[in-house]
Amino acid sequence: MNWLSARADYIGQIKGELVLKRALLGIALSAVLVLSACSSSQSSSGAANEPKDLVVAFGSEPVTLDPQDTSDGISNNANELIFDKLVTLDKNNAIVPQLAKEWTTSPDGKKITFKLREGAKFTDGTPVNAESVKYTFDRVINKDNKLNRYSLYAEFIDKVNVDSEYQVSFDLKFPFGPALITFAHTNGGIQSPKNIKEKGKDVGKSPVGSGPYKVKEWVPGNKLVFEANPDYWGEKPKMRTITFKPVAENSARSVMLETGEADIIVPVVTTDVDRLKSNDKVKVSVEPSSRNLYMSINTTKAPFDNPKVRQAVNYAVDKETIVKKILSGQAKVSDAAIGEMVWGYSSAGAYPYDPEKAKQLLAEAGVKPGTTIKLWTPDGRYLMDRQIAEFIQGNLQAVGFKVEYRKWEFGAFQEATRDPKAEFDLALNSWGTSTNDADWGLRPILMTKGASNYSKLADPQLDALIDKGMKAASPDERKKIYSDALKLVKDQAPWIFLLDYKQTTGYRSNLDNVYSWSNERLILRDVVKK
């Protein structure tokens, strides 16, 4: 494929630059050794204990640092450093206190009360109190503000009450099983009301939270630098700075990890995993994930307004080869719209690879060979996204389509696919069910009004099932509802169902406490650099 030769050229260029760098470093080494010899053991010991700098290379960069307007994982990784929430998750994905020191739920399940810790402050010096919690959530549940995570909270929060300076309560519209895990979501980060009022629509570029880090510098397309918050109310920050660098080329990230230019890389290109594991200066973590990858089908445009055509393209794509050859087995073929890590999952059955069946359905639907369709993909946001999209392009051309292919930088891709007048027919998307509950695995991306419903599917029967599943009190009842919903989604085929990812993280061996939650959130607060 073309991407293989491009990859080889790119790696060759990087390696050539590294040879030059090493030569220059060698020239300087003797001078460094002389200076080191003159240093006292006391100063060496002091340097060892000084806060360190951490560099993390991602496939793309954050889109916004407004937690209530964030819908992508890398922005959420950044927001976890800046903002505290009422509750959070520990290393084992259990709910634990953060800004709230304790909480209670009413017997009828329709009221949750949080008692806040006293003394926490935002980095602008203003206090974290019940008023700031109310302001944050009132802002996101106000439909007029048009924030991306409106539906995450507005669907179940009726009213936010300031009971006292350090006690806040939420009146719920109905008993909502995933309420606490939803408050633990990164989108529940508490913001400084003062900063929001001052910055307005620019708050996503100049955020103020109460977390252990604050933004020092953001150079779009180059780097985002966080610096330690010296007045943090909790355990002091482990790092002096943490820098996010966007590196779209998968193998370039691996080279950066091997040379030490990056301390952590996400994701790790599958073809480099074995090589990196053999390097004693590098570790690779492969963990289960709640993230899937799918191709949104624009159900409002002919010929894809016909479910038979949507089913046809599902038969046309060889998912097994994508998993085995492109992802080297570090994924599994999707057999439902949500993965098995998500509560409420049940298998609806995968579409097998059957190009003859695809051609038959296309002929029955009256789709003529040579019909032109537009396929869009981000480049570098998801593991092997561009390569997978190119492979799918070939599969679809093999059953008679003429496929116009376009790759995008992720921020521009998101903006373009959200446009109501978007011209794509197929767009490569991914969804990490960050609450690990089927409600959030389906509601935002498959309900008619879902903020991330890129397929533009409008199915009243599915809407009713998802709504019923959200409001049902019994876990067994909810599971049955979601099973029915997943079967309906398969039949409607608003996507080309592709795969469920595993999450791969590469990091230098001198780091401790590098881990991710099962919702793929990379947690950097606890990382220690030796």
Side-chain angles (χ1 to χ4, degrees):
M1 291 185 181
N2 291 336
W3 64 267
L4 287 172
S5 58
R7 171 179 177 269
D9 292 344
Y10 189 84
I11 295 172
Q13 178 184 348
I14 288 180
K15 288 183 176 177
E17 293 173 355
L18 290 173
V19 169
L20 177 59
K21 287 181 180 179
R22 286 167 179 162
L24 293 172
L25 287 170
I27 295 171
L29 183 58
S30 58
V32 172
L33 291 173
V34 170
L35 290 173
S36 297
C38 296
S39 299
S40 67
S41 59
Q42 182 179 1
S43 64
S44 297
S45 175
N49 293 324
E50 289 179 359
K52 308 288 196 308
D53 301 305
L54 189 75
V55 176
V56 187
F58 291 99
S60 61
E61 67 179 330
V63 176
T64 177
L65 300 180
D66 178 349
Q68 284 75 53
D69 203 30
T70 296
S71 61
D72 69 289
I74 295 176
S75 295
N76 277 326
N77 288 336
N79 288 333
E80 278 292 338
L81 294 171
I82 304 168
F83 299 96
D84 293 321
K85 300 157 294 184
L86 291 169
V87 292
T88 190
L89 301 179
D90 66 11
K91 195 171 184 177
N92 299 312
N93 292 272
I95 296 171
V96 294
Q98 197 165 62
L99 288 173
K101 57 185 181 181
E102 59 184 84
W103 56 90
T104 56
T105 303
S106 63
D108 65 359
K110 294 182 67 175
K111 190 181 191 73
I112 302 179
T113 301
F114 295 94
K115 290 186 178 180
L116 307 179
R117 65 179 69 252
E118 300 179 21
K121 291 185 177 181
F122 296 108
T123 54
D124 61 7
T126 57
V128 179
N129 53 25
E131 289 286 356
S132 60
V133 174
K134 177 177 170 59
Y135 188 92
T136 295
F137 284 99
D138 279 350
R139 174 175 175 259
V140 71
I141 66 176
N142 182 344
K143 193 172 186 177
D144 293 340
N145 289 328
K146 298 180 180 178
L147 297 175
N148 268 310
R149 286 301 166 248
Y150 165 79
S151 63
L152 179 62
Y153 295 103
E155 290 291 341
F156 74 95
I157 295 175
D158 184 37
K159 185 181 179 184
V160 189
N161 311 293
V162 174
D163 301 331
S164 66
E165 186 174 3
Y166 293 104
Q167 180 172 303
V168 61
S169 61
F170 292 79
D171 294 333
L172 308 187
K173 296 176 180 178
F174 47 83
F176 184 53
L180 278 178
I181 192 70
T182 306
F183 284 119
H185 195 297
T186 309
N187 296 145
I190 307 303
Q191 298 204 54
S192 161
K194 176 177 179 290
N195 187 61
I196 293 174
K197 293 170 184 175
E198 290 177 353
K199 301 294 171 50
K201 293 182 179 180
D202 290 332
V203 70
K205 300 175 183 177
S206 304
V208 171
S210 63
Y213 293 89
K214 55 185 178 179
V215 174
K216 178 181 181 181
E217 180 185 17
W218 190 356
V219 182
N222 184 304
K223 62 183 177 180
L224 170 59
V225 184
F226 306 92
E227 61 182 349
N229 172 11
D231 301 318
Y232 185 53
W233 59 266
E235 189 175 344
K236 296 305 177 186
K238 306 289 194 303
M239 296 291 162
R240 176 172 50 200
T241 64
I242 297 177
T243 299
F244 284 17
K245 293 189 71 66
V247 182
E249 172 56 45
N250 289 312
S251 294
R253 291 194 300 274
S254 296
V255 172
M256 290 174 68
L257 182 64
E258 290 174 299
T259 61
E261 185 178 351
D263 298 293
I264 303 175
I265 63 170
V266 178
V268 179
V269 61
T270 53
T271 52
D272 289 349
V273 168
D274 289 341
R275 187 184 82 249
L276 291 176
K277 283 184 175 179
S278 69
N279 185 335
D280 62 3
K281 293 184 178 179
V282 168
K283 294 182 180 180
V284 178
S285 170
V286 181
E287 301 172 281
S289 168
S290 62
R291 177 172 295 282
N292 61 6
L293 185 76
Y294 58 93
M295 186 72 76
S296 293
I297 303 173
N298 190 339
T299 60
T300 64
K301 288 185 64 180
F304 294 112
D305 52 352
N306 184 340
K308 186 174 286 190
V309 179
R310 303 197 295 265
Q311 293 170 1
V313 292
N314 270 281
Y315 286 112
V317 175
D318 185 357
K319 280 82 69 176
E320 291 284 355
T321 294
I322 291 173
V323 167
K324 292 176 181 178
K325 300 297 184 181
I326 300 180
L327 289 172
S328 302
Q330 294 190 56
K332 65 179 288 289
V333 173
S334 294
D335 60 6
I338 56 176
E340 59 188 9
M341 292 291 296
V342 179
W343 188 94
Y345 157 85
S346 63
S347 175
Y351 279 94
Y353 176 50
D354 190 342
E356 294 307 313
K357 176 73 170 178
K359 291 177 183 177
Q360 175 192 334
L361 290 173
L362 291 173
E364 291 174 3
V367 179
K368 296 180 180 179
T371 296
T372 299
I373 59 174
K374 297 179 180 180
L375 187 157
W376 292 358
T377 181
D379 184 8
R381 170 59 185 95
Y382 307 111
L383 184 60
M384 306 299 282
D385 49 11
R386 172 176 55 81
Q387 294 87 341
I388 291 170
E390 290 171 352
F391 182 84
I392 293 172
Q393 177 189 21
N395 281 168
L396 297 178
Q397 289 178 160
V399 298
F401 285 106
K402 179 181 178 182
V403 183
E404 294 182 355
Y405 169 89
R406 180 174 180 180
K407 64 181 181 180
W408 297 72
E409 179 275 327
F410 183 63
F413 173 82
Q414 276 206 315
E415 184 176 350
T417 50
R418 282 180 179 148
D419 186 340
K421 298 180 181 179
E423 297 180 353
F424 73 88
D425 294 288
L426 305 170
L428 191 67
N429 287 116
S430 179
W431 187 256
T433 305
S434 45
T435 64
N436 284 335
D437 187 278
D439 168 67
W440 198 243
L442 299 175
R443 180 157 52 92
I445 54 179
L446 287 167
M447 282 192 86
T448 300
K449 60 182 179 181
S452 299
N453 181 359
Y454 300 118
S455 68
K456 302 177 176 61
L457 180 69
D459 186 308
Q461 184 181 356
L462 181 60
D463 287 350
L465 284 170
I466 295 173
D467 186 69
K468 187 177 178 182
M470 176 174 60
K471 296 175 180 177
S474 163
D476 289 340
E477 183 184 0
R478 292 185 75 218
K479 286 182 179 180
K480 174 61 170 64
I481 292 167
Y482 290 129
S483 176
D484 292 342
L486 293 171
K487 291 172 185 174
L488 179 58
V489 173
K490 180 189 176 182
D491 291 340
Q492 284 294 315
W495 309 339
I496 299 176
F497 301 92
L498 295 174
L499 55 92
D500 299 337
Y501 273 125
K502 295 178 183 177
Q503 49 189 343
T504 54
T505 306
Y507 58 98
R508 300 287 291 181
S509 299
N510 64 334
L511 299 183
D512 285 335
N513 294 332
V514 178
Y515 66 91
S516 298
W517 293 331
S518 60
N519 61 10
E520 276 198 328
R521 199 69 62 247
L522 178 65
I523 303 304
L524 299 169
R525 292 184 178 216
D526 301 328
V527 175
V528 176
K529 192 173 188 179
K530 297 176 286 187

